[in-house]
Amino acid sequence: MSAAKRVQQWATFARTWHVFDCKWQDPYESAHVIKKYLMGLHKPIYHPMNDCGDVVVCINSKDIALRGNEWRKRAYFHHTGYPGGASWTLAWELHNKDPTMIIKKAVYRSMTGNLQRRHTMQRLFIYPEDKVPEDVMQNVTNQIRQIRLVPTRLDHIPEEEVKNFPKIMDYPEDYVLK
Amino acid sequence: MSAKNLFLPAAFVRAPLQNGVGRYVCQLQRITFKFCKSHGGSRGLRDFIEQNLVEFAKENPGVVVYMKPRRHRSPVIVGEYLNGDRVWMSVHNKTHDEITKWVEVMRTQQGDVSSSRLRKYQYTDHPSIQGPWTPFTFKIPELNTAQLPDPKFGANNRLPQSATEELRLMFEKQKLNVKEEELKVAE
């Protein structure tokens, strides 16, 4: 292989690092987006037998948003292998123990069950907050678009702006808020 | 199953040194006819030798023709090619016409073609003029200097917008001192 062709090969199969902000995102919906980048499905050169998957760095995984009452109702099953070793952990319990676990399991589950996904998962980095080690962040060259719009919370808007927002009426002094 | 496990080696269609473009070099170097003078299985090959062989040798001066009579053994044609391939073919009980056709195949083919599996029926040295795809093709140039993560590149920009919202944004953009990035999109 000539030098030019070798460089062409490196360029085509270069791994890209993507960052994905999990803030206010449904982990089960975004898992299907992250999966595409991890497996390289978004590339025109994709083939199940070539190694063209990318690296995805997930940040803010503690700020994920589950639908409806899923925090209370969704259970994660584990069995130790011993009799009576089954345990069901609710989503909110699991999230309190490890805020990266829900998104990790969601991505793992979104890939069809072959052994390759163990290796594909090695390319997924999840961080509970937006603090990412420098040696990871310096590789990132692309950002994956979120699925949902991140709303701004009222207590995050500066007080000045809230005060100056046009109002129809003011509550009377002696009004008791329920 | 991967292609390594198949019996036939995989190959592409190819012409050695663009054979046939400008000049043609016959790839067949030697051809050997082995036959029996008395056995019925060699009848077709004997007919070929009587009727066509001299003409064949005259028409193809680049091909060395050997004949090897051998008693009570089945007839065989062996061709040797410029690239070192050797093709062995049994012509037992083949008729004169069939042998004429097979000799023509041996003369015109370029090596042991039938022992390889064609991966594709077409081949080109230059599959693409603009070059193969890389992760950097069609990339937004702004990403080169962007400080990631940035909501400008991370936020969903394909959400459906109401007509009211679009009108409001058009109105806001008309204002002189408003930068496009600072525009508040409705949530």
Side-chain angles (χ1 to χ4, degrees):
Chain A
M1 197 185 275
S2 72
K5 282 221 170 165
R6 193 162 53 214
V7 172
Q8 178 65 66
Q9 179 83 0
W10 291 340
T12 304
F13 285 92
R15 274 201 212 291
T16 313
W17 289 53
H18 308 266
V19 64
F20 181 74
D21 193 352
C22 298
K23 195 172 215 171
W24 283 90
Q25 302 303 306
D26 185 340
Y28 312 107
E29 269 180 15
S30 37
H32 284 284
V33 176
I34 294 169
K35 174 192 87 171
K36 283 183 198 164
Y37 287 86
L38 277 181
M39 296 168 70
L41 283 163
H42 65 298
K43 299 184 178 185
I45 57 164
Y46 173 77
H47 187 272
M49 282 183 70
N50 74 23
D51 180 17
C52 63
D54 281 348
V55 183
V56 177
V57 181
C58 289
I59 58 170
N60 290 329
S61 77
K62 74 170 177 13
D63 294 328
I64 51 171
L66 262 61
R67 276 172 289 190
N69 56 359
E70 289 223 356
W71 282 119
R72 269 175 278 140
K73 291 294 178 190
R74 186 179 281 263
Y76 286 90
F77 178 75
H78 177 71
H79 201 292
T80 60
Y82 291 102
S87 66
W88 287 265
T89 315
L90 297 177
W92 65 270
E93 288 175 325
L94 186 72
H95 198 62
N96 279 349
K97 276 182 187 147
D98 186 354
T100 63
M101 209 60 164
I102 288 184
I103 190 103
K104 187 179 175 185
K105 280 178 181 288
V107 174
Y108 188 78
R109 218 181 68 118
S110 69
M111 288 185 276
T112 45
N114 60 6
L115 284 179
Q116 189 58 41
R117 64 177 167 169
R118 304 269 178 93
H119 307 289
T120 310
M121 287 299 289
Q122 299 291 310
R123 292 197 293 269
L124 176 66
F125 295 89
I126 309 170
Y127 297 98
E129 286 162 18
D130 54 2
K131 269 183 247 160
V132 183
E134 186 52 37
D135 57 333
V136 171
M137 208 55 203
Q138 69 182 0
N139 294 323
V140 169
T141 53
N142 188 32
Q143 187 160 11
I144 304 174
R145 288 206 178 268
Q146 290 167 326
I147 297 175
R148 300 185 174 191
L149 207 63
V150 179
T152 320
R153 264 163 54 176
L154 182 59
D155 55 335
H156 288 178
I157 301 174
E159 207 174 331
E160 187 90 353
E161 205 173 313
V162 177
K163 260 187 192 167
N164 292 338
F165 198 79
K167 277 186 279 187
I168 297 173
M169 45 82 76
D170 271 323
Y171 288 113
E173 288 287 321
D174 53 350
Y175 185 79
V176 180
L177 277 170
K178 265 186 194 174
Chain B
M1 185 179 63
S2 85
K4 276 180 211 161
N5 305 331
L6 292 171
F7 180 66
L8 296 175
F12 287 106
V13 185
R14 57 180 288 275
L17 297 169
Q18 297 189 328
N19 199 6
V21 182
R23 84 281 179 270
Y24 175 74
V25 178
C26 183
Q27 297 289 303
L28 180 65
Q29 292 294 290
R30 276 174 288 280
I31 188 163
T32 311
F33 299 96
K34 303 177 183 175
F35 61 98
C36 174
K37 289 184 182 175
S38 54
H39 200 276
S42 300
R43 165 100 188 266
L45 189 54
R46 285 200 302 271
D47 287 349
F48 175 81
I49 289 168
E50 280 173 18
Q51 297 169 30
N52 303 70
L53 189 64
V54 175
E55 201 180 335
F56 174 83
K58 265 184 196 162
E59 279 174 6
N60 301 289
V63 182
V64 186
V65 179
Y66 294 104
M67 276 190 297
K68 184 177 178 186
R70 47 189 200 170
R71 246 186 243 172
H72 306 147
R73 298 195 54 189
S74 68
V76 158
I77 303 176
V78 177
E80 285 170 61
Y81 288 87
L82 199 54
N83 61 357
D85 281 349
R86 183 173 180 275
V87 176
W88 183 98
M89 183 187 289
S90 169
V91 286
H92 187 77
N93 277 344
K94 291 246 186 328
T95 62
H96 177 203
D97 289 344
E98 281 175 311
I99 290 172
T100 315
K101 283 174 187 166
W102 279 120
V103 167
E104 186 64 14
V105 169
M106 297 274 268
R107 185 182 69 83
T108 48
Q109 74 183 5
Q110 36 133 355
D112 197 1
V113 174
S114 58
S115 77
S116 64
R117 178 177 57 89
L118 285 184
R119 297 181 64 176
K120 284 176 187 171
Y121 293 109
Q122 64 276 336
Y123 177 80
T124 169
D125 279 332
H126 308 287
S128 166
I129 298 300
Q130 59 187 358
W133 176 90
T134 72
F136 317 107
T137 24
F138 313 130
K139 198 82 159 174
I140 313 169
E142 276 176 272
L143 274 169
N144 291 328
T145 51
Q147 186 69 36
L148 297 176
D150 184 355
K152 186 186 171 192
F153 300 105
N156 190 338
N157 59 352
R158 298 192 175 195
L159 288 173
Q161 239 174 19
S162 66
T164 318
E165 179 64 16
E166 252 173 71
L167 272 178
R168 187 186 69 82
L169 283 176
M170 279 166 65
F171 173 71
E172 297 279 347
K173 274 176 198 169
Q174 280 178 355
K175 291 184 184 173
L176 281 179
N177 52 359
V178 172
K179 284 181 187 168
E180 210 159 301
E181 301 95 56
E182 288 170 4
L183 271 185
K184 275 296 235 184
V185 184
E187 287 165 0

